[in-house]
Amino acid sequence: YVRPFPRQFDAGMKQQYQEPLLPDQSLNENMPLGETKRGTSPEVTKKYPVALTRPVGCLIADEYPRLEWKKFPQALSYTVEVRNQMEGTQVFSKPVTDTIYTVEGTPLPRGQVYIWQVTAHLPEGKTVQSLAVPFAVLDEAKYTKLKQLQSEIGSKPNSSTRLWLAGLYENNRMFDEALEELRKIPTGDTNHEEADSRIRKLEDKISPFKEKL
């Protein structure tokens, strides 16, 4: 048995880190992950054919998130737009030629829920769009708590710790972080089979907003 928690974790600290990290309830109320097939239905795919890949319907720690989507055939360029969900205001709109955009300059304020959408610009002035999907940035207090936890675990957590961290991330809709931890468990490790199973389940869970690979 490999102890999954750092030795200095007592019962109170375990409970503290198992509490939800969500900034507020609006994230849950506006993200139908696992409840609909909006992202993969033929009608929606036809109307919103640009496929976003990350972040989609999740909580993220980085205030300078990396936004990714799939290349759309014949697209000459794209416009990435991020809006504040609560206020309905535009945070930014950026023209790009790649299928990746990392937020730069002013960071996204923490503790907020955002909606992002990509428009693909095609020949003859035509355009097509993605679904407008939400994500949230972890608030400052809970981000500090998370960094403290990561510091206490150390730079080289064992596979049991990675499984626990992945569960913590998944329970708080930090899906990209959960997948990252699970994928770090190497083939041949005693926890690899469980990690592989959880990866498949998690990918299926977050697929409603994504086009199947």
Side-chain angles (χ1 to χ4, degrees), residues 4 11 17 23 38 52 60 71 81 112 115 120 122 126-127 135 141 148 161-162 167 169-170 173 194 200 202-203 207:
Y17 289 120
R38 286 173 42 188
L52 306 184
I60 61 174
K71 181 177 176 62
E81 181 184 22
Q112 299 291 315
I115 298 291
L122 310 178
K126 296 180 180 179
T127 61
F135 69 92
Q148 178 188 353
T161 304
R162 290 197 187 284
Y169 291 141
E170 181 179 354
R173 291 179 177 265
E194 180 179 350
R200 292 194 299 271
L202 185 53
E203 287 177 337
S207 65

Side-chain angles (χ1 to χ4, degrees), residues 108-137:
L108 296 183
R110 292 191 172 279
Q112 299 291 315
V113 181
Y114 299 94
I115 298 291
W116 75 291
Q117 187 171 36
V118 170
T119 300
H121 300 277
L122 310 178
E124 301 179 359
K126 296 180 180 179
T127 61
V128 290
Q129 292 183 306
S130 71
L131 280 170
V133 301
F135 69 92
V137 180

